[in-house]
Amino acid sequence: MPKTLAILVLVGVTAIGGWFVVSAWGGGSVQQPVAYNHKVHIDAGMECAACHTGAEEGTHAGIPTTDKCALCHKVDRPYPKTPKDLAFYLKANKEIPWRQLHRTRRHVYFSHQRHVALAGIDCEKCHGDVKKKTTPFDRAAFPDRQAGMNLCVDCHRKEKVTTDCMACHR
Amino acid sequence: MTQDIGARNLVRVFLGVWSALGLFYAFLMFRSLLWSPSFYIDHTHYESQRPLAQPAALALQAEAKNKFARDPGVRRGRELFRREGCALCHGLGGKKGILSKNYVKDRVPDLATLAERLLLYEPEDVEAVLPALAAGQSLDKVDKLDLPNPAPVVAKYADARKVILDGNPGGKKDEKGVQPIDMPAWKDTLTEPDINRIIAYLLTLYPWEEG
């Protein structure tokens, strides 16, 4: 009896430990509700900040609402091609429940306007080559998987911007 | 001395707990010596920091280029143009429309040159109509416009306003091809004064030759 208990405990501990390791190692990818494709929209000439309207003027870049998609995508038209998953939300007139993946910790203050509009930093510097992305985001694509402090501080040093703890941690 | 098993086990438990705590403490010490955020940032160069860009300074630059850029009505127009989605098809500065399959002109019309299409060929002409529009007034309701020939301008303005209110199907290049992207109708989303403010914003975008 104690032996089976010990084995059970061992299995339990290994499972929990394994889960931690896997989730820390780049597993845990999420499925977005619609197979969104950045590339086709950028190739057609759309600009990042036209969809992510907060990127130049706000703290949060934001993800466009469904009524923006509906400006171009009509369920009954062949062009632009509207896949079934998108048509479902357009017909039901429901918001697409996008999963926001890029976020900093709660104790960090980050403003897109400061970096994009005022410092003129390209989205690519932090988010990688979104222009060529044909699948929706399934994980945060920051260079270090997370908006690690190094990402911020390395650039701030180079650009001679503040590295005062209190500038970012509020 | 008798062997008191209970006492001996108590001592073992006591020592065990303390050494576990000690090991954990040693681990914390080690970890903090190995990496701490304050090691990563060794010093903060307050003296060599560059000054931050000031939003107000940028706005003043814009103002130098166009004296109406800071008008509240024009700024409201600009905000709506971006927020409501006009910029998705016509571009953020109204400068470059997106590609639209089988559309007569390939690209959705750009709007930075709207002034010309409203027959306003000089900066002074734009200045004559802009204050009313920025205040949300419709040009056909304004008594007197300081223009040499206001009637055609007002007619063109009314056409543009109608296209925004009611939308307009995209013209096909090849009759048998797919329907290109249409101009959507905005009458449920935007009020007429707001549409006037958007037109005012677009009129400020015209790339006049500096002379």
Side-chain angles (χ1 to χ4, degrees), chain B residues 120-132:
Chain B
L120 302 165
Y121 297 118
E122 300 291 335
E124 295 76 43
D125 296 347
V126 170
E127 278 165 35
V129 299
L130 206 119

Side-chain angles (χ1 to χ4, degrees), chain B:
Chain B
M1 229 171 59
T2 54
Q3 287 279 1
D4 183 338
I5 298 239
R8 210 171 66 196
N9 279 354
L10 205 63
V11 169
R12 275 185 187 159
V13 165
F14 185 78
L15 288 179
V17 166
W18 272 103
S19 48
L21 282 176
L23 275 174
F24 186 56
Y25 185 69
F27 165 74
L28 286 184
M29 290 286 287
F30 172 70
R31 183 164 172 322
S32 71
L33 287 173
L34 207 66
W35 188 86
S36 142
S38 49
F39 292 164
Y40 190 71
I41 304 177
D42 41 7
H43 40 256
T44 46
H45 313 263
Y46 290 107
E47 28 347 288
S48 63
Q49 264 167 35
R50 70 146 150 119
L52 289 182
Q54 294 299 321
L58 291 181
L60 278 174
Q61 270 174 19
E63 192 187 31
K65 256 189 265 155
N66 190 304
K67 62 181 177 185
F68 288 107
R70 289 242 275 179
D71 180 288
V74 170
R75 292 183 69 157
R76 166 99 181 134
R78 175 178 183 273
E79 189 202 321
L80 289 167
F81 184 79
R82 293 175 157 236
R83 197 182 67 199
E84 295 301 329
C86 316
L88 276 167
C89 283
H90 296 288
L92 283 171
K95 281 197 193 61
K96 197 169 180 197
I98 62 164
L99 292 166
S100 177
K101 208 189 262 175
N102 199 28
Y103 182 54
V104 274
K105 282 174 285 187
D106 295 324
R107 279 187 178 273
V108 173
D110 57 2
L111 298 177
T113 51
L114 186 71
E116 206 176 271
R117 270 177 273 152
L118 297 192
L119 314 177
L120 302 165
Y121 297 118
E122 300 291 335
E124 295 76 43
D125 296 347
V126 170
E127 278 165 35
V129 299
L130 206 119
L133 287 171
Q137 277 175 299
S138 302
L139 288 190
D140 42 9
K141 307 246 169 61
V142 176
D143 301 333
K144 203 174 131 3
L145 287 171
D146 185 19
L147 289 171
N149 190 6
V153 174
V154 172
K156 287 281 181 191
Y157 152 82
D159 289 350
R161 187 183 58 191
K162 184 173 184 313
V163 167
I164 301 174
L165 280 168
D166 299 338
N168 198 23
K172 285 187 190 181
K173 190 192 277 174
D174 170 9
E175 264 317 306
K176 292 188 281 296
V178 290
Q179 175 63 37
I181 295 172
D182 297 342
M183 168 74 175
W186 298 90
K187 53 176 176 289
D188 301 330
T189 334
L190 294 169
T191 62
E192 195 167 312
D194 277 342
I195 290 176
N196 290 332
R197 292 190 185 102
I198 293 176
I199 294 177
Y201 163 64
L202 294 173
L203 293 181
T204 65
L205 297 176
Y206 196 87
W208 301 110
E209 303 275 315
E210 300 298 325

